[in-house]
Amino acid sequence: MNNLKARLRRGEQLLGTMITTFASADLPKVLQVCGFDFAVIDCEHGAFTTREAADLICVARAISLPIIVRIPELRREHALKFTEMGANGLLLPNTESAEQARQLVDFTKYAPMGHRGVSLSRPHTDFVKQNGPEYMARANEENILLCQIESREGVRNIGEIMAVDGIDVALIGPNDMSQDYGILGQYDSPELTDAFGRVIDAARAHGKFSGVHFGSSAPLRKWLGSGLTMNMWNSDLGLLTNGAKELSTLR
């Protein structure tokens, strides 16, 4: 169940959420009980310390909840550190070029795919002694890499981005994308609908996958049958807020 790529290849439609605010080590357990297939720790907008992210990843691994980290920016330090913590994959925000995608692969994959540093007595191996070559080949295959498409430039170059070996998923960021198109929040606009379609088609053409992250369920439902198969809904903060608003019905 931890191998998200295998599940996507079997035709499963996966649904995750974003961890944006709360660093409690219990949170991965709560999300798993609620039925989410995976979670993404937001280290781009979120204020998580390295230790807090490591603790969340540790618990998620222990209960076999796949967990991905949205890294702050494209740097070797970020890609290596979160992968060494045991994250099942990485999400690169605002990907706009094939070169950015290639760098993500290079930082994250072992040779011959990339230049990830070799240190096997770490959380990503659960501190179990490994056969190095076998483990490294398996990690290259199983770790999932997502490029977030959030701009006109990203849509313009989506074919080249999806052609990069080692990139698995194009995840649409509709808020930033609609902002870049000058139509913030107008998810039903023809221009944004066309952009979504171009991302879906490019991913499919290269044997890859695509998805979108919406904060509410209504716009997400529209796209669930369109070929988007690795989707995200809401966040830890959003889910708490939605539940807490029921208080108004008691007054």
Side-chain angles (χ1 to χ4, degrees):
M1 295 300 291
N2 245 10
N3 192 333
L4 293 174
K5 283 196 281 186
R7 296 177 65 185
L8 289 167
R9 289 167 182 160
R10 289 196 296 266
E12 293 187 44
Q13 189 169 76
L14 307 181
L15 184 64
T17 194
M18 188 78 78
I19 299 174
T20 65
T21 307
F22 303 114
S24 169
D26 290 321
L27 186 55
K29 297 179 183 179
V30 174
L31 297 179
Q32 185 182 59
V33 167
C34 290
F36 286 104
D37 296 299
F38 67 95
V40 177
I41 304 173
D42 186 8
C43 290
E44 179 195 15
H45 294 289
F48 298 106
T49 66
T50 301
R51 182 70 264 161
E52 288 170 339
D55 289 346
L56 287 165
I57 293 168
C58 179
V59 174
R61 287 185 66 85
I63 63 174
S64 296
L65 175 70
I67 196 151
I68 294 164
V69 174
R70 177 157 71 174
I71 57 179
E73 60 179 332
L74 184 58
R75 284 175 47 192
R76 180 182 182 276
E77 175 189 1
H78 296 314
L80 180 64
K81 193 178 293 291
F82 290 116
T83 306
E84 299 287 279
M85 289 178 194
N88 298 95
L90 300 178
L91 170 60
L92 177 64
N94 196 31
T95 310
E96 295 190 320
S97 71
E99 179 55 30
Q100 290 173 320
R102 280 191 288 269
Q103 286 185 48
L104 181 65
V105 173
D106 187 64
F107 295 158
T108 310
K109 302 291 187 179
Y110 294 113
M113 290 186 70
H115 294 88
R116 175 179 171 180
V118 180
S119 182
L120 301 184
S121 296
R122 298 285 177 178
H124 65 94
T125 63
D126 297 310
F127 305 103
V128 176
K129 184 174 177 58
Q130 302 288 328
N131 176 303
E134 289 181 4
Y135 171 78
M136 291 158 69
R138 186 170 68 252
N140 276 0
E141 167 57 27
E142 294 182 358
N143 286 359
I144 191 166
L145 295 181
L146 297 80
C147 287
Q148 195 156 21
I149 308 302
E150 305 182 86
S151 67
R152 287 180 182 272
E153 188 69 11
V155 173
R156 186 178 298 116
N157 295 324
I158 188 60
E160 295 175 8
I161 293 168
M162 288 290 95
V164 174
D165 186 29
I167 298 300
D168 304 297
V169 179
L171 182 72
I172 297 167
N175 289 337
D176 280 338
M177 182 182 285
S178 63
Q179 172 188 240
D180 196 57
Y181 276 76
I183 47 175
L184 180 64
Q186 298 178 36
Y187 306 129
D188 291 328
S189 73
E191 201 169 17
L192 217 60
T193 298
D194 176 71
F196 278 36
R198 290 177 62 183
V199 173
I200 295 168
D201 291 344
R204 184 184 291 119
H206 290 282
K208 309 293 180 68
F209 305 96
S210 56
V212 64
H213 179 200
F214 278 112
S216 58
S217 58
L220 178 58
R221 284 196 181 98
K222 172 188 172 181
W223 288 98
L224 287 179
S226 67
L228 295 168
T229 57
M230 189 170 180
N231 298 299
M232 297 181 66
W233 170 61
N234 221 308
S235 68
D236 55 351
L237 179 60
L239 294 169
L240 174 68
T241 302
N242 288 348
K245 284 180 178 177
E246 290 190 25
L247 175 65
S248 64
T249 67
L250 302 177
R251 294 188 184 278

